[in-house]
Amino acid sequence: MNHPLESILPRVERPQRYIGGEVNAVVRRPDPGDALVLLAYPDLYEIGMSNLAQRLFYFQLNALPGCRADRVFAPAPDLLDLLRARRIPLPSLDLALPFSAFDLIGSTLQYELNYTTLLLLLDAGGLPLRAAERSDADPLVVVGGPAATNPAPFAPFVDLVCVGDGEEAFPELAALARATRGAPRAERLAALAAVPGCYAPLLGKSVKRRVVADLDAAWHPDRAIVPFLPIVHDRVSVEISRGCPHGCRFCHAGFAYRPYRERSADRIVDLVLRQIDATGYPEANLSSLSATDHSAIGEIVDRLAAELTPRGVSVALPSLRISGFSVELARRLNMVRKSGLTFAPEAGSQCMRDRINKRVTEENLLASVAAAARAGWRRVKLYFMVGLPGETDEDVRAIAALAREAHAAGKAAGKGPFTVALNASSFVPKAHTPFERAARIGRDELVARFALLREAVRGRPVECRFSDPAISELETIYSRGDDRAAAALEAAYRSGAFLDGWDERFRPEAWARAFAETGLVPDDYFRPVAADAPLPWDFVDMGVDRAWLAAEAARAEAGRTTPPCGPGCRACSACADGCESSAAGTASAEGGDPR
Amino acid sequence: MSGRAEPVRHRMRHVKRGLARFVSHIDLIHYFSRLAARARVPVAFTEGFNPKPKFEFGPALSTGIESDCEWLDLFLPAPADPAALVAALARCGVPDLAIVECVVAPPAKLSRSLVELEYRTEIAPDGEEACDLPAFLAGATVAALEGAGIAAPGFVTAVEPLPAEGAAAALRFVTAHRDGRALSPRLLEKLPAAAGLRFHHRKILARFAP
């Protein structure tokens, strides 16, 4: 056997990550005329195999005539060391081919901490890091995904950026990559950059994101690969809706994926059952930004429970709104035994929640926690953010107070021990949101507010966990990053930074060196951005009117809420004739669910 | 509980070939659970709070060793047609872990029934260091293994040369199966002059008590 990793696999941990050949993996060799696409996910196998975009593109492209897609994931440090020592380029998973054999390399960027691992993949695959240094024979590198909407921080390293929905654009790119094989690189870039939703940094700077108007008709995988080792979300996953009607002002996904669109109950149930049949997995996940808002969620839950419970298959329903109806749905799915309940109030005081447009009242939250306790849950997790625009110490204390009240409500209703787990992260201003110009809180102030919160809950039966400020600061810099951030990115990678999302691999000293070397001052990215100052992502049209975003920011400052998306609304400009929100407009108050 | 028939034991032999030799034992348990679900084979589940498919496995094979004869027992409500069961599982599985044989209602538990395991070990120079293959082969005897304290007395019952077939040399190890212990490559690394050599192991035979 001549697999390139044959002699290395006995020496690395979890070699099952690198062997391919899993159930439902596509094994056929490509025909000479096939477009060859490498789906290079910028994280370890265990993360990438759970990702819906990675799953979707793999099966979609392999089902296209004349196209063959393969996968590759980030090598763990032990494999990476051996690959480098023996000068072996990282091979693809199914076909064991080098990167150079492919027409197109595609990466979905999920969050800013993926950027260094993208560089790692390109490097380990033997490609020049900088797009300008690639030759006519090198494959084209395209990136997409939620963290591709501000391309400046990674633009020098990619040939193409695809903004918005990918399931129509990506097959078009694959076909063009094949058709232009052998042509000069500039010609290939021009051809692919002409695909709506795409642009080539080397050729220009203007792009309008791609939107799939009819989500129900859009392609979705009916099977999944079953890995040979546990992955983070070890289950089938069906995307029941895209986007979110609520408009919380800090949330990038809520604005990037407008308008809110749904798949039909029939389609969802069919996809779940096919995936379960094809995999034998005992769990199905209904993926969405806000599951409870689906107009047919009750029907979907009941139909799936009826089909799957007798087969011993459970259904997971994350992303639940804070409402009694959510608890009822979770109960119907018998989630009490399977998983905890998580709610995201995000802010402790009503005035703070109004500023961020999170239309949840204290009453809603306490009633939902009480409902959960009555249904049998003994533990609820609450997510909050510290450092939101306009926040005061009072607001921080209000987080603790709310968590304590939630605990008391749960304990009283459940008539027994009850735990509240409080997860506090820090606010990161995101491009294309109303808060894109807001200040990021400084390290000292953040640490002080975390300490204030910890002190306020001390001694109570509330468990507190805090996210790492250093990681959030890095996210801020790259969320609002520019050309200088791109230079620092390369310097950080060369200084040893990659797989930054993993605690044991995060290298703050590599980043500090990179910042010093490139003259990047983090505070420059934390300061609020003046209302008339240009932004590095101005040239990316996400469909949401910029003036409306500014007006939302002003409403936030005044503490005024904005109603959720509803039929016929044209306020933010994301909806147009033929591409409308599915939101019923009845999602007005958390807790007021008609279905 | 009363009146319910005892589930029937079905003993299945599967291979572990090629790159699938890097699938760990615990991963195999998940693999077969999902395989049974895909093939709609009505395997019995364990009792208790978190029911799982009820399997009994033979000794765990160390990762990296190929095998022609891995055994596991699964339990069905009634005796199945062995050929049909093997065919159903073959349709839904991967070839490198193929189930190839089924014995219905063997008399005893798997771990009690196995008495002997045989391995073929191919040896080749590693290419990077100097190695002394003849010295290694000379030292690869039952007496040497026991004398060096590497094998418990009576654990390795035979070490014999095999036709090399493309490798530099090949050995056959026969081990008595006792207390679920399997031959491990660590055993070979402790042999004198094992440095500079590369080993490829394959379990080739499992013998059961009559």
Side-chain angles (χ1 to χ4, degrees):
Chain A
M1 212 188 286
N2 296 319
H3 192 278
L5 301 182
E6 192 89 34
S7 58
I8 292 185
L9 290 175
R11 294 167 203 256
V12 298
E13 279 182 15
R14 302 205 197 114
Q16 310 93 301
R17 295 167 176 158
Y18 311 115
I19 62 179
E22 311 98 314
V23 172
N24 293 328
V26 179
V27 296
R28 68 182 165 78
R29 306 299 301 179
D31 294 324
D34 283 352
L36 281 174
V37 181
L38 181 58
L39 300 171
Y41 191 92
D43 211 322
L44 296 176
Y45 179 95
E46 292 92 310
I47 304 290
M49 285 296 290
S50 304
N51 179 267
L52 198 46
Q54 183 80 356
R55 294 182 181 191
L56 189 154
F57 292 130
Y58 181 74
F59 289 110
Q60 181 193 34
L61 295 174
N62 277 314
L64 285 179
C67 192
R68 180 73 175 89
D70 199 345
R71 306 162 282 153
V72 74
F73 302 90
D78 57 356
L79 179 72
L80 180 65
D81 289 344
L82 286 165
L83 290 176
R84 284 175 169 164
R86 298 177 187 205
R87 299 189 204 288
I88 300 174
L90 181 65
S92 68
L93 215 46
D94 298 329
L95 302 171
L97 289 174
F99 280 41
S100 55
F102 292 88
D103 295 301
L104 194 60
I105 317 271
S107 284
T108 175
L109 301 174
Q110 295 295 302
Y111 70 146
E112 295 80 6
L113 299 187
N114 284 151
Y115 298 163
T116 48
T117 310
L118 172 68
L119 297 189
L120 170 67
L121 278 172
L122 298 175
D123 200 19
L127 293 184
L129 283 189
R130 295 215 157 228
E133 289 165 21
R134 290 173 199 148
S135 73
D136 288 353
D138 286 324
L140 300 172
V141 176
V142 58
V143 298
T149 62
N150 173 23
F154 56 79
F157 314 107
V158 306
D159 295 300
L160 293 143
V161 183
C162 179
V163 180
D165 298 335
E167 61 264 74
E168 287 168 1
F170 206 167
E172 292 166 17
L173 291 172
L176 282 169
R178 174 66 189 95
T180 58
R181 202 189 277 173
R185 200 171 186 82
E187 200 178 296
R188 304 186 78 194
L189 289 183
L192 274 74
V195 169
C198 303
Y199 91 103
L202 281 175
L203 297 183
K205 251 171 118 174
S206 168
V207 64
K208 185 170 162 71
R209 61 122 198 203
R210 191 80 178 248
V211 188
V212 164
D214 185 351
L215 190 64
D216 205 33
W219 207 91
H220 190 292
D222 63 357
R223 71 199 63 179
I225 293 176
V226 186
F228 284 132
L229 81 170
I231 59 177
V232 294
H233 296 303
D234 219 352
R235 56 198 185 189
V236 304
S237 195
V238 170
E239 184 194 28
I240 68 173
S241 65
R242 193 171 297 178
C244 175
H246 290 280
C248 301
R249 292 173 178 138
F250 56 84
C251 179
H252 176 270
F255 293 95
Y257 289 110
R258 292 192 166 204
Y260 169 74
R261 292 149 284 160
E262 295 180 350
R263 284 192 160 89
S264 64
D266 283 347
R267 179 96 167 107
I268 290 165
V269 170
D270 182 56
L271 285 167
V272 170
L273 296 179
R274 279 173 195 270
Q275 287 210 20
I276 293 292
D277 287 345
T279 58
Y281 263 127
E283 186 178 328
N285 176 53
L286 302 183
S287 177
S288 135
L289 290 175
S290 182
T292 333
D293 282 295
H294 195 291
S295 58
I297 190 66
E299 177 195 340
I300 293 165
V301 160
D302 288 341
R303 283 169 69 179
L304 288 176
E307 279 278 356
L308 295 177
T309 309
R311 290 169 62 177
V313 176
S314 62
V315 177
L317 195 64
S319 313
L320 291 174
R321 237 168 60 199
I322 298 173
S323 71
F325 182 58
S326 292
V327 177
E328 170 57 21
L329 286 176
R331 196 197 57 76
R332 268 156 42 184
L333 288 173
N334 200 25
M335 274 164 64
V336 176
R337 284 187 168 183
K338 296 285 176 181
S339 63
L341 265 190
T342 301
F343 293 130
E346 305 293 9
S349 64
Q350 191 59 49
C351 98
M352 204 61 241
R353 284 193 297 274
D354 288 345
R355 283 173 185 266
I356 64 179
N357 206 34
K358 188 93 190 182
R359 279 164 278 95
V360 179
T361 64
E362 181 166 321
E363 199 179 26
N364 294 148
L365 177 65
L366 299 184
S368 303
V369 172
R374 275 192 303 273
W377 273 275
R378 292 280 149 259
R379 190 168 189 273
V380 155
K381 201 191 294 187
L382 300 178
Y383 279 112
F384 290 96
M385 267 186 287
V386 169
L388 288 162
E391 181 182 85
T392 64
D393 283 355
E394 263 323 296
D395 295 310
V396 177
R397 282 191 208 99
I399 296 175
L402 189 56
R404 285 199 308 271
E405 294 287 314
H407 174 264
K411 190 157 171 218
K415 303 183 177 60
F418 193 81
T419 317
V420 167
L422 193 168
N423 271 42
S425 64
S426 55
F427 164 69
V428 173
K430 297 274 180 172
H432 302 290
T433 66
F435 286 157
E436 60 187 2
R437 296 177 186 272
R440 156 81 189 180
I441 190 175
R443 174 75 68 102
D444 291 344
E445 184 56 35
L446 178 62
V447 169
R449 290 194 198 175
F450 274 165
L452 179 59
L453 180 54
R454 188 183 280 111
E455 187 58 40
V457 293
R458 191 211 292 257
R460 325 282 176 162
V462 171
E463 303 166 359
C464 251
R465 293 181 68 169
F466 299 92
S467 67
D468 182 352
I471 294 274
S472 308
E473 283 166 11
L474 203 50
E475 276 185 53
T476 303
I477 294 168
Y478 282 88
S479 163
R480 289 215 278 221
D482 53 9
D483 301 336
R484 192 185 296 272
L489 180 72
E490 186 175 0
Y493 167 69
R494 294 203 187 284
S495 199
F498 61 87
L499 291 172
D500 298 295
W502 295 86
D503 283 347
E504 65 272 20
R505 267 250 91 241
F506 179 52
R507 298 278 184 270
E509 63 294 353
W511 284 100
R513 275 196 296 275
F515 293 158
E517 199 180 299
T518 54
L520 188 150
V521 178
D523 275 347
D524 290 348
Y525 300 83
F526 299 173
R527 246 176 257 125
V529 183
D532 52 1
L535 296 165
W537 55 92
D538 274 337
F539 69 95
V540 177
D541 181 357
M542 292 302 296
V544 173
D545 182 55
R546 303 230 70 129
W548 182 85
L549 282 180
E552 270 294 287
R555 282 188 281 273
E557 210 166 334
R560 296 207 324 265
T561 60
T562 295
C565 300
C569 174
R570 292 288 185 266
C572 78
S573 304
C575 290
D577 291 341
C579 188
E580 311 256 354
S581 172
S582 309
T586 50
S588 52
E590 306 276 334
D593 321 82
R595 347 158 199 84
Chain B
M1 287 301 151
S2 64
R4 192 204 286 180
E6 270 298 301
V8 179
R9 186 184 289 266
H10 289 68
R11 183 154 297 161
M12 322 284 307
R13 178 167 66 90
H14 72 90
V15 301
K16 206 176 183 216
R17 291 210 183 110
L19 293 178
R21 70 188 185 275
F22 294 107
V23 176
S24 73
H25 185 72
I26 193 153
D27 297 330
L28 271 188
I29 300 173
H30 292 129
Y31 173 79
F32 286 116
S33 294
R34 291 160 194 167
L35 173 60
R38 285 193 301 280
R40 307 278 195 142
V41 172
V43 295
F45 275 70
T46 57
E47 314 271 318
F49 193 71
N50 199 6
K52 297 199 227 321
K54 189 173 154 164
F55 294 120
E56 283 175 22
F57 286 85
L61 185 66
S62 296
T63 307
I65 301 184
E66 287 191 289
S67 179
D68 295 327
C69 50
E70 293 305 290
W71 291 91
L72 75 123
D73 286 352
L74 52 86
F75 297 82
L76 300 178
D81 169 52
L85 181 56
V86 169
L89 294 169
R91 262 195 311 275
C92 300
V94 299
D96 282 348
L97 292 173
I99 289 188
V100 292
E101 190 181 335
C102 170
V103 174
V104 181
K109 270 173 83 99
L110 190 50
S111 51
R112 289 219 191 96
S113 312
L114 274 170
V115 293
E116 203 170 65
L117 299 170
E118 249 184 64
Y119 297 82
R120 173 188 167 84
T121 294
E122 289 181 354
I123 306 160
D126 206 1
E128 288 172 9
E129 301 173 48
C131 66
D132 191 349
L133 183 56
F136 169 79
L137 291 172
T141 64
V142 176
L145 292 173
E146 288 180 359
I150 292 165
F155 173 58
V156 180
T157 53
V159 184
E160 292 155 12
L162 283 173
E165 288 172 20
L171 289 176
R172 176 168 160 260
F173 286 83
V174 183
T175 63
H177 178 250
R178 202 188 303 149
D179 307 325
R181 285 174 62 192
L183 178 66
S184 155
R186 286 188 294 282
L187 194 74
L188 293 168
E189 279 153 37
K190 289 177 194 165
L191 291 169
L197 294 172
R198 202 165 22 109
F199 303 102
H200 186 92
H201 309 288
R202 186 188 192 105
K203 188 196 286 183
I204 52 178
L205 215 58
R207 279 193 199 84
F208 292 87

